[in-house]
Amino acid sequence: MTTTRDPRTHLVSVVVPVYQGERTLRSVVEELTASVTDRTSPAGRPYRVTEVVLVHDCGPDRSDTVIRKLAAEHEWVRPVWLSRNFGQHAATLAGIAASGGEWVVTMDEDGQHDPEAIGVLLDTAMAQQADVVYARPTNEPPHGAARNAASRGAKWFVERLAKGAPAAEFNSYRLVLGEVARSVAAYAGPGIYLDVAIAWVARRVTTAPVEMRAEGDRPSGYDLRRLLSHFWRLVLSSGTRPLRWVSALGAGAVLLAPVVAVALIVGRALGSWEAPGWTSTMILLMVATGVILFSLGVIAEYVGMAVNMAMGKPLYLPVRDPGEGPLGRDDR
């Protein structure tokens, strides 16, 4: 597709990680069709979507078939094939690394994110001179009260862990300056939480009000186990503050020990203890053992992340379309 470009036009790459997009992906791409020619944002800024990068994250459905058909129908659709399922953040980074736009927009496959809001995100970035703009939902996310409350609580907790990371604003619908996004994709290691990595290098991060739509007719890819894993990765990516908490727990145990010892000695001298002290001993042992095991667990998680990076575990591995390789041939 050849078009004459206005030098003022902002060129946008859209990255969509695809896990269960068999039923919803086509409608998302068709909506983006309106933006592959020059458009104007609400504030009058020209922009154009130059490519839509669909990253196949090896989900359980036939998303690969849909991606192939969309790529055959639209020259601006670019598939990226991963060797296995690496997760949403790794798939998003793989798509970002393959993008070439001045701006990168990431959005979900389920239709919850309205492509018409790209202009709103762009206007906010230009008006506030921001490297990153997150969509700030103006309505309650369609996940249920319990999950929404847990999400807010988790983001509040992490925001106090990671200095400078606005966790409360994290959203998978985001606009990122292209060079910032691709730099993050180049250095991010296994287990990293994408938004925390962006916060490390972004000069200014802000939000724009966007109304979220209902998710398409597809089951959520996040069960309780995945959500807890998602949260724990966010905690570990937030920095070394949890390790400082481990040190604080150890220091607290050291300071508490003489206090308890004095209390026991005084109680014994006053005849307050009728039993030999088995209960207090057991309580102290349980507390100390719990602190030690918790501390070792946190340290082990950090060591595991470091080992994965030292051994060269890839964050993702792009491959060619499996349908074009030996696995796609069936001569029977």
Side-chain angles (χ1 to χ4, degrees):
M1 179 174 61
T2 58
T3 58
T4 302
R5 179 196 171 189
D6 183 337
R8 300 174 302 159
T9 302
H10 296 269
L11 303 182
V12 180
S13 296
V14 175
V15 174
V16 183
V18 181
Y19 180 70
Q20 296 184 73
E22 181 178 5
R23 288 180 285 180
T24 59
L25 185 59
R26 174 168 290 278
S27 61
V28 171
V29 171
E30 293 303 330
E31 281 190 290
L32 285 164
T33 303
S35 299
V36 298
T37 55
D38 287 356
R39 300 198 63 182
T40 303
S41 70
R45 295 181 174 90
Y47 73 93
R48 184 172 76 246
V49 172
T50 58
E51 60 182 354
V52 176
V53 183
L54 304 179
V55 185
H56 183 242
D57 198 25
C58 300
D61 62 2
R62 299 302 300 170
S63 295
D64 55 340
T65 302
V66 178
I67 292 175
R68 292 187 189 100
K69 290 180 179 179
L70 290 170
E73 296 169 11
H74 306 290
E75 60 181 346
W76 38 267
V77 171
R78 294 182 53 204
V80 172
W81 306 94
L82 299 185
S83 61
R84 65 168 177 82
N85 173 243
F86 286 91
Q88 181 182 9
H89 284 223
T92 302
L93 285 166
I96 290 173
S99 69
E102 298 171 335
W103 297 94
V104 176
V105 168
T106 65
M107 58 192 304
D108 291 346
E109 64 191 2
D110 55 15
Q112 185 182 9
H113 301 152
D114 186 355
E116 292 295 317
I118 293 177
V120 176
L121 300 177
L122 179 61
D123 283 339
T124 302
M126 296 302 295
Q128 300 189 27
Q129 291 294 287
D131 297 340
V132 184
V133 181
Y134 288 103
R136 185 179 71 252
T138 57
N139 54 324
E140 193 73 7
H143 300 308
R147 178 169 167 179
N148 290 336
S151 177
R152 285 192 295 268
K155 290 179 178 179
W156 177 90
F157 177 75
V158 172
E159 191 162 339
R160 278 142 188 82
L161 275 181
K163 184 178 180 182
E169 311 297 347
F170 288 169
N171 193 296
S172 56
Y173 195 11
R174 55 176 89 79
L175 172 80
V176 188
L177 196 63
E179 57 192 17
V180 171
R182 284 183 286 275
S183 296
V184 171
Y187 71 69
I192 192 64
Y193 196 93
L194 171 57
D195 297 296
V196 173
I198 290 174
W200 290 342
V201 297
R203 178 175 54 88
R204 181 173 174 79
V205 179
T206 188
T207 63
V210 173
E211 182 177 357
M212 297 295 176
R213 303 183 298 195
E215 295 175 329
D217 181 22
R218 46 147 282 187
S220 172
Y222 285 97
D223 54 19
L224 179 60
R225 182 186 64 82
R226 288 177 180 269
L227 288 171
L228 290 175
S229 175
H230 196 63
F231 168 70
W232 190 239
R233 186 168 72 251
L234 178 56
V235 170
L236 293 179
S237 299
S238 64
T240 58
R241 190 166 295 184
L243 290 177
R244 296 175 187 172
W245 288 3
V246 168
S247 300
L249 283 173
V254 171
L255 294 174
L256 183 62
V259 175
V260 174
V262 170
L264 292 175
I265 292 172
V266 172
R268 183 68 174 174
L270 297 176
S272 300
W273 312 120
E274 297 180 0
W278 181 87
T279 302
S280 59
T281 302
M282 289 300 101
I283 291 174
L284 287 174
L285 283 175
M286 286 188 293
V287 171
T289 303
V291 170
I292 292 171
L293 291 177
F294 174 76
S295 303
L296 290 175
V298 174
I299 294 171
E301 292 284 355
Y302 280 97
V303 171
M305 291 177 64
V307 168
N308 284 335
M309 288 186 283
M311 294 178 65
K313 180 180 178 181
L315 177 61
Y316 56 84
L317 177 64
V319 297
R320 66 176 172 176
D321 181 355
E324 297 179 356
L327 291 175
R329 294 199 300 265
D330 191 350
D331 297 327
R332 291 183 302 168

